[in-house]
Short mmCIF file of all heavy atoms in Angstrom, two decimals:
data_model
loop_
_atom_site.label_atom_id
_atom_site.label_comp_id
_atom_site.label_asym_id
_atom_site.label_seq_id
_atom_site.Cartn_x
_atom_site.Cartn_y
_atom_site.Cartn_z
N ALA F 327 12.82 -28.95 15.87
CA ALA F 327 11.40 -29.37 15.96
C ALA F 327 10.59 -28.23 16.62
O ALA F 327 9.47 -27.92 16.21
CB ALA F 327 11.31 -30.65 16.81
N ASN F 328 11.18 -27.56 17.63
CA ASN F 328 10.50 -26.38 18.22
C ASN F 328 10.24 -25.33 17.19
O ASN F 328 9.23 -24.68 17.16
CB ASN F 328 11.35 -25.81 19.37
CG ASN F 328 11.41 -26.71 20.60
OD1 ASN F 328 10.63 -27.63 20.72
ND2 ASN F 328 12.39 -26.45 21.40
N VAL F 329 11.30 -25.08 16.40
CA VAL F 329 11.21 -24.06 15.36
C VAL F 329 10.11 -24.44 14.36
O VAL F 329 9.24 -23.64 14.01
CB VAL F 329 12.56 -23.95 14.61
CG1 VAL F 329 12.44 -22.97 13.41
CG2 VAL F 329 13.67 -23.49 15.57
N ALA F 330 10.12 -25.74 13.96
CA ALA F 330 9.14 -26.21 13.00
C ALA F 330 7.72 -26.09 13.56
O ALA F 330 6.81 -25.61 12.87
CB ALA F 330 9.46 -27.69 12.64
N ASN F 331 7.53 -26.51 14.80
CA ASN F 331 6.21 -26.48 15.38
C ASN F 331 5.66 -25.04 15.42
O ASN F 331 4.50 -24.77 15.35
CB ASN F 331 6.22 -27.02 16.78
CG ASN F 331 6.35 -28.51 16.88
OD1 ASN F 331 6.20 -29.19 15.80
ND2 ASN F 331 6.56 -29.06 18.02
N LEU F 332 6.62 -24.08 15.58
CA LEU F 332 6.25 -22.74 15.77
C LEU F 332 5.93 -22.04 14.42
O LEU F 332 4.91 -21.37 14.24
CB LEU F 332 7.32 -21.94 16.47
CG LEU F 332 6.95 -20.56 16.99
CD1 LEU F 332 5.90 -20.67 18.06
CD2 LEU F 332 8.13 -19.75 17.46
N ILE F 333 6.85 -22.11 13.45
CA ILE F 333 6.67 -21.34 12.24
C ILE F 333 6.56 -22.18 10.96
O ILE F 333 6.36 -21.63 9.86
CB ILE F 333 7.85 -20.30 12.02
CG1 ILE F 333 9.18 -20.99 12.02
CG2 ILE F 333 7.73 -19.22 13.10
CD1 ILE F 333 10.32 -20.03 11.68
N VAL F 364 5.52 -31.95 15.55
CA VAL F 364 4.18 -32.40 15.28
C VAL F 364 4.27 -33.09 13.92
O VAL F 364 4.82 -32.48 12.95
CB VAL F 364 3.24 -31.20 15.22
CG1 VAL F 364 1.86 -31.60 14.72
CG2 VAL F 364 3.09 -30.52 16.61
N ILE F 367 3.78 -31.47 10.50
CA ILE F 367 4.77 -30.41 10.24
C ILE F 367 6.13 -31.05 9.90
O ILE F 367 6.72 -30.71 8.89
CB ILE F 367 4.85 -29.45 11.40
CG1 ILE F 367 3.58 -28.72 11.59
CG2 ILE F 367 6.00 -28.48 11.22
CD1 ILE F 367 3.51 -27.79 12.82
N ALA A 205 -6.23 -20.01 18.30
CA ALA A 205 -5.13 -19.19 18.85
C ALA A 205 -4.80 -18.07 17.81
O ALA A 205 -4.56 -16.91 18.22
CB ALA A 205 -3.90 -20.04 19.11
N VAL A 225 2.74 -12.51 20.11
CA VAL A 225 2.36 -13.90 20.22
C VAL A 225 1.19 -14.00 21.26
O VAL A 225 1.25 -13.37 22.32
CB VAL A 225 3.57 -14.74 20.71
CG1 VAL A 225 3.06 -16.19 21.02
CG2 VAL A 225 4.64 -14.77 19.66
N PHE A 226 0.11 -14.65 20.83
CA PHE A 226 -1.01 -14.88 21.73
C PHE A 226 -0.99 -16.36 22.07
O PHE A 226 -0.98 -17.24 21.23
CB PHE A 226 -2.35 -14.54 20.98
CG PHE A 226 -3.58 -14.90 21.77
CD1 PHE A 226 -4.10 -14.01 22.70
CD2 PHE A 226 -4.23 -16.09 21.53
CE1 PHE A 226 -5.29 -14.36 23.39
CE2 PHE A 226 -5.39 -16.42 22.23
CZ PHE A 226 -5.91 -15.54 23.18
N VAL A 227 -0.99 -16.69 23.36
CA VAL A 227 -0.96 -18.05 23.78
C VAL A 227 -2.24 -18.48 24.42
O VAL A 227 -2.72 -17.76 25.33
CB VAL A 227 0.16 -18.25 24.85
CG1 VAL A 227 0.27 -19.75 25.28
CG2 VAL A 227 1.50 -17.78 24.31
N LYS A 228 -2.90 -19.47 23.87
CA LYS A 228 -4.13 -19.93 24.47
C LYS A 228 -3.84 -21.15 25.31
O LYS A 228 -3.40 -22.18 24.82
CB LYS A 228 -5.16 -20.26 23.39
CG LYS A 228 -6.47 -20.72 24.04
CD LYS A 228 -7.64 -20.78 23.12
CE LYS A 228 -8.86 -21.24 23.85
NZ LYS A 228 -9.96 -21.45 22.95
N ILE A 229 -4.07 -21.00 26.63
CA ILE A 229 -3.92 -22.20 27.53
C ILE A 229 -5.30 -22.69 27.81
O ILE A 229 -6.13 -22.02 28.42
CB ILE A 229 -3.19 -21.77 28.85
CG1 ILE A 229 -1.89 -21.06 28.57
CG2 ILE A 229 -2.98 -22.98 29.73
CD1 ILE A 229 -1.16 -20.60 29.79
N GLY A 232 -5.99 -27.71 25.33
CA GLY A 232 -4.75 -27.77 24.51
C GLY A 232 -4.06 -26.44 24.71
O GLY A 232 -4.56 -25.53 25.34
N ILE A 233 -2.80 -26.36 24.18
CA ILE A 233 -2.05 -25.13 24.25
C ILE A 233 -1.59 -24.79 22.90
O ILE A 233 -0.90 -25.65 22.22
CB ILE A 233 -0.87 -25.23 25.23
CG1 ILE A 233 -1.37 -25.59 26.64
CG2 ILE A 233 -0.08 -23.92 25.28
CD1 ILE A 233 -0.28 -25.81 27.66
N GLY A 234 -1.90 -23.62 22.35
CA GLY A 234 -1.42 -23.21 21.04
C GLY A 234 -1.14 -21.75 21.01
O GLY A 234 -1.55 -21.02 21.97
N ALA A 235 -0.41 -21.27 20.04
CA ALA A 235 -0.10 -19.86 19.95
C ALA A 235 -0.47 -19.34 18.57
O ALA A 235 -0.41 -20.04 17.56
CB ALA A 235 1.38 -19.66 20.15
N GLY A 236 -0.93 -18.11 18.54
CA GLY A 236 -1.20 -17.37 17.33
C GLY A 236 -0.03 -16.37 17.16
O GLY A 236 0.33 -15.71 18.18
N ILE A 237 0.51 -16.23 15.98
CA ILE A 237 1.70 -15.44 15.79
C ILE A 237 1.42 -14.28 14.83
O ILE A 237 0.95 -14.53 13.71
CB ILE A 237 2.85 -16.27 15.28
CG1 ILE A 237 3.05 -17.49 16.14
CG2 ILE A 237 4.16 -15.48 15.17
CD1 ILE A 237 4.06 -18.48 15.54
N VAL A 250 -0.42 -24.31 9.48
CA VAL A 250 -0.26 -24.81 10.86
C VAL A 250 0.98 -24.26 11.50
O VAL A 250 2.08 -24.57 11.10
CB VAL A 250 -0.20 -26.38 10.84
CG1 VAL A 250 -0.16 -26.88 12.27
CG2 VAL A 250 -1.44 -26.90 10.10
N THR A 251 0.78 -23.36 12.43
CA THR A 251 1.94 -22.75 13.13
C THR A 251 1.59 -22.61 14.65
O THR A 251 0.46 -22.90 15.04
CB THR A 251 2.16 -21.30 12.61
OG1 THR A 251 0.92 -20.56 12.73
CG2 THR A 251 2.65 -21.32 11.20
N GLY A 252 2.52 -22.19 15.40
CA GLY A 252 2.29 -21.88 16.85
C GLY A 252 1.96 -23.10 17.66
O GLY A 252 1.34 -23.02 18.71
N GLU A 253 2.44 -24.30 17.26
CA GLU A 253 2.10 -25.49 17.99
C GLU A 253 3.10 -25.65 19.21
O GLU A 253 3.74 -26.66 19.35
CB GLU A 253 2.23 -26.74 17.06
CG GLU A 253 1.13 -26.77 16.03
CD GLU A 253 -0.25 -27.15 16.60
OE1 GLU A 253 -0.28 -27.69 17.71
OE2 GLU A 253 -1.25 -26.89 15.90
N ILE A 254 3.02 -24.64 20.08
CA ILE A 254 3.96 -24.70 21.24
C ILE A 254 3.50 -25.71 22.34
O ILE A 254 4.28 -26.07 23.17
CB ILE A 254 4.16 -23.36 21.93
CG1 ILE A 254 2.84 -22.82 22.53
CG2 ILE A 254 4.70 -22.32 20.98
CD1 ILE A 254 3.07 -21.76 23.57
N GLY A 255 2.29 -26.23 22.20
CA GLY A 255 1.79 -27.28 23.12
C GLY A 255 2.63 -28.53 23.00
O GLY A 255 2.62 -29.37 23.85
N HIS A 256 3.37 -28.62 21.90
CA HIS A 256 4.13 -29.86 21.64
C HIS A 256 5.65 -29.65 21.69
O HIS A 256 6.43 -30.39 21.07
CB HIS A 256 3.65 -30.52 20.37
CG HIS A 256 2.20 -30.81 20.44
ND1 HIS A 256 1.65 -31.78 21.27
CD2 HIS A 256 1.11 -30.16 19.95
CE1 HIS A 256 0.31 -31.74 21.22
NE2 HIS A 256 -0.02 -30.74 20.43
N VAL A 257 6.07 -28.61 22.38
CA VAL A 257 7.49 -28.44 22.71
C VAL A 257 7.83 -29.48 23.83
O VAL A 257 7.01 -29.68 24.70
CB VAL A 257 7.78 -27.06 23.34
CG1 VAL A 257 9.11 -26.97 24.01
CG2 VAL A 257 7.63 -26.02 22.21
N THR A 258 8.91 -30.18 23.61
CA THR A 258 9.29 -31.17 24.66
C THR A 258 9.78 -30.46 25.92
O THR A 258 10.72 -29.69 25.84
CB THR A 258 10.42 -32.08 24.12
OG1 THR A 258 10.02 -32.68 22.92
CG2 THR A 258 10.77 -33.20 25.14
N ILE A 259 9.10 -30.70 27.03
CA ILE A 259 9.52 -30.12 28.30
C ILE A 259 10.25 -31.14 29.10
O ILE A 259 11.19 -30.89 29.84
CB ILE A 259 8.28 -29.57 29.06
CG1 ILE A 259 7.67 -28.34 28.32
CG2 ILE A 259 8.57 -29.27 30.50
CD1 ILE A 259 8.55 -27.14 28.35
N GLY A 272 6.22 -35.99 27.00
CA GLY A 272 6.61 -34.86 27.81
C GLY A 272 6.44 -33.49 27.19
O GLY A 272 7.09 -32.57 27.47
N CYS A 273 5.44 -33.44 26.24
CA CYS A 273 5.15 -32.14 25.66
C CYS A 273 4.60 -31.14 26.64
O CYS A 273 4.05 -31.55 27.72
CB CYS A 273 4.05 -32.34 24.53
SG CYS A 273 4.60 -33.34 23.15
N LEU A 274 4.65 -29.86 26.33
CA LEU A 274 4.12 -28.88 27.22
C LEU A 274 2.69 -29.13 27.67
O LEU A 274 2.30 -28.94 28.82
CB LEU A 274 4.17 -27.45 26.56
CG LEU A 274 3.65 -26.27 27.35
CD1 LEU A 274 4.47 -26.08 28.65
CD2 LEU A 274 3.64 -24.99 26.50
N GLU A 275 1.87 -29.66 26.73
CA GLU A 275 0.47 -29.95 27.03
C GLU A 275 0.34 -30.98 28.14
O GLU A 275 -0.71 -31.06 28.85
CB GLU A 275 -0.28 -30.42 25.79
CG GLU A 275 -0.68 -29.31 24.89
CD GLU A 275 -1.73 -29.69 23.85
OE1 GLU A 275 -2.26 -30.85 23.93
OE2 GLU A 275 -1.96 -28.92 22.94
N THR A 276 1.32 -31.89 28.28
CA THR A 276 1.25 -32.94 29.32
C THR A 276 1.52 -32.35 30.68
O THR A 276 1.47 -33.06 31.69
CB THR A 276 2.20 -34.07 29.02
OG1 THR A 276 3.57 -33.66 29.21
CG2 THR A 276 2.02 -34.72 27.64
N SER A 278 0.99 -28.52 31.29
CA SER A 278 0.41 -27.22 31.54
C SER A 278 -1.05 -27.02 31.00
O SER A 278 -1.60 -25.93 31.16
CB SER A 278 1.24 -26.08 30.96
OG SER A 278 2.59 -26.19 31.42
N ALA A 321 6.54 -23.91 33.14
CA ALA A 321 6.77 -24.72 31.89
C ALA A 321 6.30 -23.90 30.66
O ALA A 321 7.00 -23.90 29.62
CB ALA A 321 6.00 -26.01 31.94
N VAL A 322 5.16 -23.20 30.78
CA VAL A 322 4.77 -22.36 29.68
C VAL A 322 5.80 -21.24 29.42
O VAL A 322 6.16 -21.00 28.24
CB VAL A 322 3.38 -21.68 29.95
CG1 VAL A 322 3.08 -20.55 28.97
CG2 VAL A 322 2.27 -22.70 29.99
N GLY A 323 6.32 -20.69 30.47
CA GLY A 323 7.41 -19.68 30.35
C GLY A 323 8.65 -20.23 29.62
O GLY A 323 9.22 -19.58 28.75
N ARG A 324 9.01 -21.44 29.97
CA ARG A 324 10.16 -22.10 29.31
C ARG A 324 9.91 -22.27 27.80
O ARG A 324 10.77 -22.01 26.99
CB ARG A 324 10.47 -23.43 29.97
CG ARG A 324 11.58 -24.12 29.35
CD ARG A 324 12.00 -25.38 30.08
NE ARG A 324 12.70 -26.30 29.20
CZ ARG A 324 13.02 -27.52 29.57
NH1 ARG A 324 12.71 -27.99 30.72
NH2 ARG A 324 13.63 -28.28 28.64
N ALA A 325 8.66 -22.77 27.49
CA ALA A 325 8.35 -22.92 26.07
C ALA A 325 8.37 -21.54 25.34
O ALA A 325 8.81 -21.41 24.18
CB ALA A 325 7.01 -23.58 25.93
N LEU A 326 7.90 -20.54 26.05
CA LEU A 326 7.82 -19.18 25.45
C LEU A 326 9.25 -18.62 25.28
O LEU A 326 9.45 -17.77 24.41
CB LEU A 326 6.93 -18.23 26.28
CG LEU A 326 5.43 -18.54 26.16
CD1 LEU A 326 4.66 -17.64 27.10
CD2 LEU A 326 5.04 -18.30 24.68
N ALA A 327 10.17 -19.04 26.11
CA ALA A 327 11.56 -18.60 25.94
C ALA A 327 12.09 -19.05 24.60
O ALA A 327 12.81 -18.28 23.91
CB ALA A 327 12.42 -19.12 27.10
N ASN A 328 11.74 -20.28 24.17
CA ASN A 328 12.11 -20.77 22.85
C ASN A 328 11.55 -19.87 21.75
O ASN A 328 12.18 -19.54 20.78
CB ASN A 328 11.64 -22.17 22.64
CG ASN A 328 12.39 -23.21 23.45
OD1 ASN A 328 13.43 -22.90 24.01
ND2 ASN A 328 11.78 -24.38 23.63
N VAL A 329 10.27 -19.54 21.94
CA VAL A 329 9.62 -18.68 20.99
C VAL A 329 10.30 -17.35 20.96
O VAL A 329 10.59 -16.78 19.85
CB VAL A 329 8.13 -18.48 21.39
CG1 VAL A 329 7.43 -17.50 20.45
CG2 VAL A 329 7.40 -19.82 21.39
N ALA A 330 10.59 -16.75 22.11
CA ALA A 330 11.26 -15.46 22.20
C ALA A 330 12.59 -15.50 21.57
O ALA A 330 12.92 -14.65 20.75
CB ALA A 330 11.32 -15.03 23.67
N LEU A 332 13.64 -17.27 19.25
CA LEU A 332 13.53 -17.43 17.85
C LEU A 332 13.02 -16.22 17.10
O LEU A 332 13.59 -15.77 16.08
CB LEU A 332 12.56 -18.64 17.55
CG LEU A 332 12.62 -19.13 16.10
CD1 LEU A 332 13.98 -19.77 15.82
CD2 LEU A 332 11.50 -20.10 15.84
N ILE A 333 11.87 -15.64 17.55
CA ILE A 333 11.27 -14.58 16.76
C ILE A 333 11.21 -13.22 17.51
O ILE A 333 10.76 -12.26 16.90
CB ILE A 333 9.85 -14.93 16.22
CG1 ILE A 333 8.95 -15.31 17.40
CG2 ILE A 333 9.97 -16.06 15.23
CD1 ILE A 333 7.54 -15.54 16.94
N ILE A 338 3.80 -10.61 24.46
CA ILE A 338 3.16 -11.93 24.52
C ILE A 338 1.93 -11.81 25.38
O ILE A 338 1.99 -11.26 26.49
CB ILE A 338 4.17 -12.96 25.18
CG1 ILE A 338 5.37 -13.17 24.27
CG2 ILE A 338 3.43 -14.31 25.43
CD1 ILE A 338 6.40 -14.15 24.83
N VAL A 339 0.79 -12.23 24.88
CA VAL A 339 -0.48 -12.11 25.53
C VAL A 339 -0.99 -13.54 25.89
O VAL A 339 -0.98 -14.41 25.00
CB VAL A 339 -1.53 -11.39 24.71
CG1 VAL A 339 -2.85 -11.28 25.44
CG2 VAL A 339 -1.10 -10.04 24.26
N ILE A 340 -1.40 -13.75 27.16
CA ILE A 340 -1.87 -15.06 27.59
C ILE A 340 -3.37 -15.01 27.55
O ILE A 340 -3.98 -14.17 28.18
CB ILE A 340 -1.37 -15.43 28.98
CG1 ILE A 340 0.18 -15.27 29.12
CG2 ILE A 340 -1.85 -16.79 29.40
CD1 ILE A 340 0.99 -16.17 28.29
#
Side-chain angles (χ1 to χ4, degrees):
Chain F
N328 290 342
V329 175
N331 287 349
L332 193 68
I333 57 174
V364 170
I367 296 176
Chain A
V225 173
F226 173 85
V227 182
K228 182 167 179 185
I229 306 176
I233 301 176
I237 306 170
V250 183
T251 54
E253 291 287 343
I254 63 161
H256 304 287
V257 165
T258 306
I259 290 294
C273 295
L274 179 63
E275 281 194 10
T276 67
S278 306
V322 168
R324 177 172 157 189
L326 286 176
N328 291 342
V329 175
L332 193 68
I333 57 174
I338 297 178
V339 181
I340 309 293

